[in-house]
Amino acid sequence: MAVKKIEKGVMVTLLILGGILMMVPFIWMLGSSFKPENEFTVIPPTIIPHHPTWNNYSRLFTEMDFFVYLKNTLIIVICSFVGLFLNALAGYAFAKFHFPGKNGFFYLILATMMIPGQVTMIPTYLIINKMGLVNTMAGIVLPGLVGAFGIFLFRQFMATIPTDLIEAARLDGSGEFRIFFTLILPVVKPVFAVQAILTFIGAWNSFLWPLIIANDEKLYTLSVGLSLLKGQYGTEFGLQMAGAAFMVVPIIIIFTFFQKHIIEGYTISGMK
């Protein structure tokens, strides 16, 4: 027993030290976002600023179009949540409906998960260009509305819902959409929660596709705006740290509060 306690204590100590080491860059970034520029040349460098200031954050919105970038990012997040319902509907169709080519079509969707996104960007861009949606918010949003992973996750979970329950609802006169929203969605809350969190993180961090499809700076997202800081304000480290903190902190807060749902969703899906 004593040996096990020692081993446990060593493991806990190593995990704590590892966690602290991994947090040092984030803590330094957060502290540096409140530093005036003259503190970045202080030797030895300081983690907590001696004279904290909000000037770096205010400059993000006064000297740059971060309000516009934030609005565009929130639009992408909202549209991505609409796509989340489309993924759930597709998963429900594959799980509980029978139609010609169902299995082959589903395997074809799964096969797309093995194709890197960079490979499909050129044909996707050509399609968007033919539709006349280049340099529009619709062109940014449409390609990311649905995804193979989301359809797969919903389908795997919904396949375990008893079909007799759905048939009973149909006999009571419920339509398919009513069954989906009142019967299916409450059951798949764990999967819906994890997908919602991952969808938010993906939409919040959207960078490459908006950069490719948007020629107008008014359509840029926060990630693209953050990359502009490096070019236009490359020597102003406080401003860059403020932009990075503004991007990272919301994701960390959401992950901290909802990490239980993420683990639960993956665990349940794996068990099913």
Side-chain angles (χ1 to χ4, degrees), residues 18-231:
I20 292 174
L21 288 174
M22 292 181 66
M23 288 182 65
V24 167
F26 171 74
I27 294 173
W28 183 82
M29 175 194 72
L30 195 60
S32 297
S33 67
F34 294 98
K35 289 181 183 178
E37 285 300 321
N38 57 2
E39 274 199 45
F40 284 93
T41 57
V42 174
I43 302 296
T46 58
I47 294 180
I48 299 175
H50 295 308
H51 305 286
T53 176
W54 286 95
N55 183 54
N56 294 324
Y57 287 95
S58 64
R59 290 181 63 195
L60 287 177
F61 297 96
T62 56
E63 297 183 16
M64 297 193 68
D65 293 330
F66 257 66
F67 274 121
V68 176
Y69 304 153
L70 178 61
K71 181 195 72 173
N72 294 335
T73 302
L74 291 177
I75 291 174
I76 295 174
V77 168
I78 294 171
C79 293
S80 297
F81 284 135
V82 174
L84 186 60
F85 279 99
L86 298 178
N87 286 334
L89 285 168
Y92 175 57
F94 279 115
K96 294 302 177 183
F97 287 86
H98 298 282
F99 51 88
K102 167 185 167 182
N103 291 332
F105 191 41
F106 180 68
Y107 294 143
L108 183 62
I109 291 175
L110 290 184
T112 62
M113 294 174 63
M114 297 184 290
I115 304 174
Q118 293 82 356
V119 175
T120 59
M121 278 188 177
I122 294 177
T124 303
Y125 180 87
L126 293 176
I127 294 172
I128 294 296
N129 187 40
K130 286 289 185 181
M131 297 172 64
L133 297 178
V134 172
N135 201 36
T136 64
M137 186 57 66
I140 296 174
V141 169
L142 280 178
L145 278 183
V146 294
F149 178 72
I151 294 173
F152 168 74
L153 205 62
F154 279 115
R155 186 260 186 190
Q156 293 300 101
F157 192 89
M158 291 177 181
T160 63
I161 299 175
T163 306
D164 294 341
L165 191 64
I166 299 173
E167 291 295 339
R170 288 172 180 161
L171 289 174
D172 286 340
S174 297
E176 295 299 334
F177 281 103
R178 184 178 179 184
I179 292 173
F180 177 78
F181 285 104
T182 61
L183 182 62
I184 303 298
L185 281 188
V187 176
V188 298
K189 275 184 180 179
V191 177
F192 208 88
V194 65
Q195 279 295 97
I197 296 166
L198 295 178
T199 297
F200 171 82
I201 293 174
W204 184 263
N205 290 330
S206 55
F207 169 74
L208 187 56
W209 182 249
L211 182 62
I212 292 173
I213 208 73
N215 302 322
D216 190 349
E217 191 173 333
K218 293 182 180 179
L219 294 174
Y220 284 174
T221 60
L222 285 173
S223 294
V224 179
L226 185 61
S227 70
L228 295 179
L229 281 175
K230 186 177 180 181

